[in-house]
Amino acid sequence: MRPGEVEESPYARAGGRLPGDPAPVRDPDPGTGHPPPSLPPYGRRGRRPAPRTLARALPALLIAGGILYDLLTPRVFTAVPFFTAAPLVAAPLSSLRTTVLTGLAALVATFAVHARFGTGADASLVTEVVTVATVALLAVAINRVVRLGDRRLASAREIAEAAQRAVLPEPAARIAGFDIAARYEAARKDAFIGGDLYAVQDSPYGVRLIVGDVRGKGLGAVAAVAVVIGAFREAAEQESTLEAVAERLERALAREGTRRDGIDAFEGFTTAVLAELPHGDHIVRIVNRGHPPPLMLHADGSLRSLIPCEPALPLGMSDLGRWPDRATESVFPGGATLLLYTDGLCEARDAHGRFYDPWRRLAGRRFPDPRTLLARLAAEVRRHSGGGTADDMALLAVRRP
C-alpha cells in the first residue's frame, strides 16, 4: 500500500462499499496531478508487423539465402536444405498457388547453382533435384490438408457464432427509450460463449435485465446459461415483480438439476443480478443473488455502487436455505449509466497479482455512450491482464438519456 492510501474492504475492491468503508482514493496522473483521462480504444496503439506476414516472406528468404550460401561456399557444400525448407514453410501459411510456385522456384534455384559450375547432369544434380521435387510435392499435400482443416475450423466457428447469437443475442441499441450495449469477452482464445450471461427484456412492467455467472465451464455451463436466459425471458413477461422473476429462475434451475440427476451432473449455482427499469419512473430496482453489485455512473463523473440491502445466496442454492427476495430501489437520473458486470472484470489480475478495480478506474470519468464505455473497459482489462484473462467477462450498460 502506498503512503496516503487507505485500505478498502473486499466488497469495495469488487466495486462497492459497505457502510463505514473509506472513500476510494484515485491515483493522480504523474504529470498533471489530475485523474487519468479515458484510454483510447484498444487496438489504436502503434502498429506492429504481424508475425504471420513475416512468416509468409520466409520461403523467398530461404531460397535467396540458399543461393547466397552456394555462392560463398566451395562446390562440395550444398544449399539443398534451404531449397527444401522453402516450400515446407509456405505450405501451411500460403495458398496452393503460392506453394506450387515456391516449389518451382526452389527447383529453378537448384538448377541455377549447378549451372555456374558447368558440371551438367551429374549424379549430385539428379539427387538434389529429386530431393527438392519430392519435398515440394509433399508441401503441396500438406497445403491441401491444412486448407481442409481451415475450412472445417471456419465451419465450427460459424456454428459457435450462431450458437452465441441464439443463446446470447445482442440487445437492440435502444429499448423503451434507454441506450443499451452489451459485450462478452471469453477467456479462451477463439471461444464465443461460456458460463457468463446477459439478457434484456422489455416487459409490461418495465425494461428488465439480468447479468449472471454460472458455476463451471464447458458445455454444462452453456446448458445452464440457456436454462437461465430462457426462464428469465418468460418470467420477465409474466411476473409482476422482480422478486417473482428471481423465484422463477430459482425453480427453473432446481427443476433442471433434478432432471439431470443432481448438482454434480448440472451446474450447481448461478450468481446473478436482476434489474428493473419501470416505464416513466426515474428509478431502478435491483435483486442481487450473490453477484458483484452494479455501478451507477452519473453524468458528472461521480460513481455509486448499488449494494443490496440484504445479502442473498446465488440462484440454485435453495437447498441451503430459503428467504424472500427483496428488491433494492435506487434513483436512476437522466444522463446516468447503469453498469452490470461479471467477476471477470473485477477479478482480472495483472502481472503482480493486483485486481482490476472498476470503482477506482471509472470514478471521475465520462463516456459518450454505453458502447464506448464497454469498449474501453474491455481494452483496459486486456492491458491490465497482459492481453488475456482467466475468466469470461460479460458487460451490460444502460443509459437513461
Side-chain angles (χ1 to χ4, degrees):
M1 184 184 302
R2 293 188 297 269
E5 209 174 312
V6 292
E7 178 69 17
E8 294 176 338
S9 69
Y11 209 178
R13 288 194 293 272
R17 281 190 295 164
L18 294 172
D21 281 347
V25 178
R26 302 191 63 225
D27 294 329
D29 183 90
T32 63
H34 299 295
S38 300
L39 294 176
Y42 184 77
R44 294 189 182 178
R45 291 172 289 181
R47 288 184 172 271
R48 299 177 182 176
R52 192 177 181 88
T53 302
L54 296 177
R56 284 177 174 171
L58 187 56
L61 296 176
L62 285 169
I63 293 176
I67 295 174
L68 182 62
Y69 176 84
D70 186 79
L71 293 174
L72 299 178
T73 57
R75 179 182 173 183
V76 294
F77 292 93
T78 177
V80 167
F82 290 90
F83 300 147
T84 55
L88 287 177
V89 172
L93 300 175
S94 305
S95 64
L96 176 62
R97 179 174 178 271
T98 301
T99 303
V100 171
L101 291 177
T102 302
L104 292 175
L107 284 172
V108 170
T110 303
F111 279 107
V113 296
H114 273 269
R116 80 181 184 95
F117 293 111
T119 56
D122 58 0
S124 63
L125 172 60
V126 174
T127 301
E128 292 180 5
V129 168
V130 170
T131 301
V132 174
T134 301
V135 174
L137 290 174
L138 179 61
V140 170
I142 293 174
N143 179 270
R144 291 294 79 203
V145 172
V146 171
R147 295 287 82 79
L148 178 60
D150 287 345
R151 286 195 293 271
R152 289 177 177 173
L153 178 60
S155 176
R157 288 174 61 88
E158 290 176 1
I159 294 172
E161 289 178 4
Q164 182 188 34
R165 287 192 293 269
V167 178
L168 288 179
E170 185 173 353
R174 194 170 181 84
I175 298 177
F178 294 96
D179 296 328
I180 297 178
R183 191 181 186 99
Y184 193 100
E185 296 279 333
R188 292 180 56 188
K189 186 179 180 181
D190 296 328
F192 292 93
I193 188 172
D196 288 9
L197 62 97
Y198 60 78
V200 181
Q201 187 79 13
D202 191 12
S203 75
Y205 312 100
V207 178
R208 287 172 168 174
L209 314 97
I210 184 174
V211 168
D213 186 358
V214 174
R215 180 189 73 97
K217 304 290 183 183
L219 294 178
V222 176
V225 167
V227 169
V228 172
I229 290 182
F232 168 77
R233 292 195 182 282
E234 182 180 1
E237 288 286 342
Q238 298 176 356
E239 300 294 345
S240 60
T241 66
L242 199 60
E243 293 89 342
V245 174
E247 182 61 27
R248 284 278 290 272
L249 299 183
E250 184 74 52
R251 292 199 300 268
L253 283 174
R255 182 171 59 249
E256 192 69 15
T258 301
R259 187 176 72 84
R260 299 196 181 202
D261 298 325
I263 195 170
D264 293 330
F266 187 69
E267 303 304 326
F269 62 86
T270 300
T271 68
V273 59
L274 294 89
E276 180 181 85
L277 310 174
H279 297 302
D281 295 334
H282 285 62
I283 62 172
V284 56
R285 298 189 183 101
I286 300 289
V287 168
N288 195 318
R289 285 296 201 97
H291 200 77
L295 297 177
M296 182 75 72
L297 287 72
H298 293 275
D300 61 359
S302 60
L303 195 63
R304 183 161 50 99
S305 182
L306 305 184
I307 300 174
C309 55
E310 291 186 13
L313 289 176
L315 298 169
M317 300 184 69
S318 57
D319 290 343
L320 300 181
R322 296 184 64 85
W323 56 86
D325 288 295
R326 294 183 180 178
T328 301
E329 191 171 292
S330 302
V331 177
F332 190 1
T337 300
L338 177 67
L339 174 65
L340 297 85
Y341 57 93
T342 58
D343 57 9
L345 175 69
C346 57
E347 293 184 2
R349 295 174 181 262
D350 62 11
H352 303 287
R354 293 188 292 260
F355 289 112
Y356 180 89
D357 187 347
W359 177 283
R360 186 182 299 274
R361 298 297 186 98
L362 293 175
R365 297 170 61 181
R366 300 176 180 87
F367 301 90
D369 53 67
R371 185 174 296 273
T372 301
L373 165 63
L374 300 191
R376 302 219 177 142
L377 267 178
E380 290 180 12
V381 170
R382 289 195 207 101
R383 296 190 187 107
H384 180 82
S385 58
T389 58
D391 196 5
D392 296 345
M393 178 174 64
L395 305 171
L396 182 63
V398 182
R399 167 172 286 185
R400 182 186 295 276

